[in-house]
Amino acid sequence: MAALPTGVEEQGGWVECLHPVWEPGGRRQVLSELPGVPTSSGVCSEQDPVASSGGCNFPEHKKPELNTRAFHVGAFGELVRDRLRGQGDLSLKEPRATGIRAAWARRGRRGWDDAAVARDLGCDLEAGTELKAVWGLGKLQCCEDQDPEVIPEDTDLVTLGVRKKLLERREETLTIDRACRQEILAYEMDSHAIGKKPENPADMIEEGELILSVNVLYPVTFHKHQEHKPYQTMLVLGSQKLTELRDPICCVSDLQIGGGFSNTPDQASEHSSKDLYKSAFFYFEGTFCNDRRYPECRDLSRTIIEWSESHDRGYRKFQTAKMEDFTFNDLHIKLGFPYLYCHQGDCEHVVVITDIRLVHRDDCLGRILCPLLTKHWLWTRKCFVSKMYTARWVTNDDSFAPDDPCFFSDACFRMLHYDSEGNKLGEFLAHPYVAPGTFN
Amino acid sequence: MGAPPGLQADCEELLSRFQETDSVRFEDFSALWRSMKFGTIFCGKMRNLEKNTFTKEALALAWRYFLPPYAFQIRVGALYLLYGLYNTQLCQPKQKIRVALRDWDEILKFQQDLINSEHFDVAYIFRKLRLDKAFHFTAMPKLLSFRMKKKVQRTPVTEEFKEPNDRVMKLITSDVLEEMLNVHDLYQNMKHVISADKSNPNKTLSLVKDDFFDNIKTIILEHQQWHKDRKNPSLKLKGKDGEEKMEGNSQESESCERAASLAKIKSKAFAVVVQASKSRRHRQVRLDSSDSDSASGQATREKRNKETLKSAGRKKSSRKRGNF
């Protein structure tokens, strides 16, 4: 396995070219390399020294609120499992069954339950039983029949006051409040796989597995996207290979079909770019992980490495490795730091690993369903004629079209440009088009 | 989303009322919860997506109060608040509480403190949350997505809830004291060993006060005692009826007298009350004109803390002079 460089942070690196503006506080990060200097931001920072255990395996804030130092994912996983072992926190087992029978069973086991409480808390059995009684009294339900749709009249809570005003204003202005498609889609994507269990137990995710949340930004450069670039979010397991993340990344450039097909519209969907140009790489912390699974795959990173080594450009030595040889557990990464995914030769996506957490009982527990796509939205281009269907064709120099270029759905395109026998009518250039929002 | 509007005010209101009860018992907290009808905070026609985001933000907000540097009582209140929010949320399946690994050690220490000081109901609540798998164990508390353009918002720590900073105790811990004793003993023994007369070390070697360690110990103990007096002196102990009054009482009466005399002075100053702004109207100080003694509204709670600090400080300095 190629050694991935770690340790001292340097300003250099390919990724810097994408983000030339560093924060003015950037100098601060040099100090934070010194041992003993607190690096974490937030409430704990003044009191806590740098955690001595774990060293660089402990994710800590580098630039406050932006990204952490580099750490090893697998080692972090080990640390988490060590800390939590033996207390049942790692377990993915279902909770005890509910229902009448279970309640009876619980009653019979009451003595056992109380003993468990007493043992865990280190108090005596009597106190344990008393606790359960007390807890029963101190219930938090205030009114059993409170309708969650209705805000109670006599509330003092500021939050509810604000919410009430909003609802009242909507009623006054007759604003119809309905979930739009984007909202429904966003919610569905986030929650569609929750709680799914695989049929085959061998496909079950193991206890203690790490889940990484990865944002892959779209390579769009519209002005309106300057502040908030649209992105898709994938949840991937620590034990999955990098190639397993690479394959499901949806990018329209993968579906592009080169060439004009005005004469042969039916042959358009033969080979997409994804089939023709299979090379790709990920860049993490000074290492280019190239996809070399197929003989057609080329090392796209070679150009960059040669460029950086040709003169003294201030970058440290880059390394290359094979994407299929690495799992996410093998990586050294910084959370919240932008990295790169490049495919199709020049289609570049910024990749940010936003979160790492332990797998939980309520997560989707089927390995084969991972990586899971949980967020994805991009506007889409619609057919000029129907204004309803997604555009599949784009024409140039088209005498039938009011616009150049003009977009059509498949049905509208054929109806307008070809007769019932499929003969081409008029002069035009036609190319298959993949709308950005194809994957919605 | 950022913190939903008004949520921080509501949580702080609940926690400050809890702080006023001077108790860490769950019954007291749940009584406050019910009186504020806090469980209705999720009501109001929120659709699924908004419910999820709101609940996540609420749990993250409450979590902040659970970690240092907040005072012990506030942290207990935050734990109860988390428990309440987690169980009354409307999301299906429930939104979880994010715990960063570096905070987990702190939490376990807190749990051990609870068990040692026999606050079993608090420990039980924590255990229940854990058994219900209410936690997500993460690398960092918040998701990081390299938003450089977004202004970094440092969340300000609410001063009233903070644990008073005890630099002395942080400097001289029991480990340090033990080591000091060891070194001192070793030094004394060494002096005995190298001098000609084994039982009586050479006079020229007595460069250190022999009883210096005992002095330090006494000072530290007094400092601790002063600290205890000045903090909430009557954290009620559960279960044993008479005892809870006893410990708090003697200190309470002293501090009551002090507070009463100072309150008399202050009441004249506070006869005029400032009108709070709309956003703080729930914390509006109310002037009780009937009784000049009880002219303390909510706003003077902080003043009381400062008063006891000042008077205890005076007490301490006089002691210090006496010792040396």
Side-chain angles (χ1 to χ4, degrees), chain A residues 19 21-23 28 40-44 47 58-61 64-68 76 79-80 83-84 87-89 91 116-117 120-123 130-132 134-135 137-143 146-152 154 156-160 162-163 167 177-179 183 186-187 190 194 215 226-228 231 335-338 352-358 360-363, chain B residues 4-7 9-10 17 26-27 29-30 33-34 36-50 52 54 56 64 67-70 80 83-84 87-88 90 92-94 96 98 101-106 108 115 120-121 123-125 127-128 130-149 152-155 157 165 170 238 282:
Chain A
H19 291 268
V21 179
W22 294 110
E23 266 193 324
R28 224 187 310 146
S40 56
S41 72
V43 165
C44 307
Q47 324 287 23
F58 227 115
E60 283 156 3
H61 276 294
E65 306 294 329
L66 278 188
N67 60 274
T68 66
F76 170 71
L79 207 63
V80 170
R83 294 284 166 100
L84 298 176
Q87 297 291 326
D89 294 305
S91 164
V117 169
D120 286 349
L121 301 182
C123 58
E130 212 181 307
L131 266 178
K132 286 181 79 173
V134 162
W135 171 74
L137 285 175
K139 272 217 180 86
L140 298 165
Q141 306 295 95
C142 37
C143 8
Q146 175 65 42
D147 180 4
E149 297 292 299
V150 173
I151 295 180
D154 53 346
D156 282 331
L157 297 173
V158 181
T159 318
L160 290 183
V162 169
R163 207 177 287 153
L167 289 176
D177 208 7
R178 229 183 15 227
E183 188 180 321
Y187 174 70
D190 205 18
I194 287 183
N215 280 6
Q226 253 177 12
E227 295 288 316
H228 299 281
Y231 57 90
L335 276 184
F337 193 77
V352 181
I353 301 183
T354 55
D355 185 32
I356 297 185
R357 64 173 175 82
L358 212 57
H360 187 275
R361 182 179 69 196
D362 288 342
D363 290 329
Chain B
L7 188 59
D10 289 330
R17 285 197 200 177
F26 185 61
E27 301 102 77
F29 181 86
S30 56
W33 175 281
R34 279 196 300 273
M36 286 179 77
K37 296 198 200 143
F38 215 86
T40 59
I41 206 158
F42 296 105
C43 294
K45 284 197 201 169
M46 283 195 289
R47 288 189 299 270
N48 284 330
L49 194 63
E50 197 189 341
N52 281 354
F54 177 78
K56 273 188 216 162
R64 269 183 16 223
L67 297 172
Y70 288 105
Y80 291 149
Y83 179 73
N87 282 302
T88 53
L90 302 170
Q92 231 3 282
K94 291 199 191 301
K96 311 286 186 284
R98 286 177 66 92
L101 188 67
R102 64 167 188 224
D103 296 332
W104 187 244
D105 289 335
E106 183 57 54
L108 290 181
I115 294 180
F120 290 126
D121 53 354
Y124 183 82
I125 295 288
R127 177 182 178 269
K128 185 103 197 347
R130 237 171 131 176
L131 284 181
D132 289 344
K133 298 278 190 233
F135 297 114
H136 265 168
F137 297 100
T138 65
M140 297 304 284
K142 281 204 288 212
L143 268 69
L144 299 168
S145 50
F146 209 77
R147 291 280 179 83
M148 284 189 78
K149 299 280 166 73
V152 172
Q153 283 161 343
R154 300 279 186 146
T155 46
V157 174
N165 209 353
K170 284 207 169 72
K238 186 184 183 306
H282 62 290

Side-chain angles (χ1 to χ4, degrees), chain A residues 169-279:
Chain A
R169 205 175 61 221
R170 283 194 195 142
E171 274 193 44
E172 277 168 36
T173 58
L174 297 178
T175 309
I176 299 179
D177 208 7
R178 229 183 15 227
C180 60
R181 325 184 268 143
Q182 283 95 327
E183 188 180 321
I184 297 179
L185 179 70
Y187 174 70
E188 284 301 317
M189 295 213 77
D190 205 18
S191 48
H192 74 281
I194 287 183
K196 279 213 176 116
K197 306 272 184 304
E199 283 160 14
N200 185 354
D203 285 334
M204 184 92 159
I205 296 178
E206 282 176 14
E207 274 181 20
E209 177 79 77
L210 290 179
I211 295 184
L212 291 90
S213 173
V214 183
N215 280 6
V216 180
L217 278 66
Y218 297 116
V220 290
T221 48
F222 295 121
H223 185 75
K224 65 180 176 182
H225 289 133
Q226 253 177 12
E227 295 288 316
H228 299 281
K229 258 201 162 161
Y231 57 90
Q232 52 186 285
T233 306
M234 316 265 282
L235 298 181
V236 68
L237 300 175
S239 56
Q240 287 187 300
K241 298 208 186 91
L242 295 185
T243 45
E244 293 180 76
L245 175 66
R246 191 253 158 153
D247 290 332
I249 291 182
C250 324
C251 178
V252 293
S253 62
D254 276 336
L255 300 179
Q256 299 296 355
I257 297 165
F261 287 87
S262 54
N263 296 315
T264 51
D266 295 319
Q267 285 168 15
S269 48
E270 289 258 324
H271 289 293
S272 67
S273 301
K274 188 159 190 174
D275 302 318
L276 293 172
Y277 310 115
K278 294 206 176 82
S279 319

Side-chain angles (χ1 to χ4, degrees), chain A residues 216 246 249 280-282 339-343 347-349 351:
Chain A
V216 180
R246 191 253 158 153
I249 291 182
F281 70 78
F282 279 109
Y339 296 113
L340 192 69
Y341 167 61
C342 179
H343 66 137
C347 183
E348 291 168 350
H349 300 252
V351 170

Side-chain angles (χ1 to χ4, degrees), chain A residues 425-438:
Chain A
L425 307 165
E427 282 306 313
F428 58 91
L429 298 168
H431 310 273
Y433 177 75
V434 186
T438 298

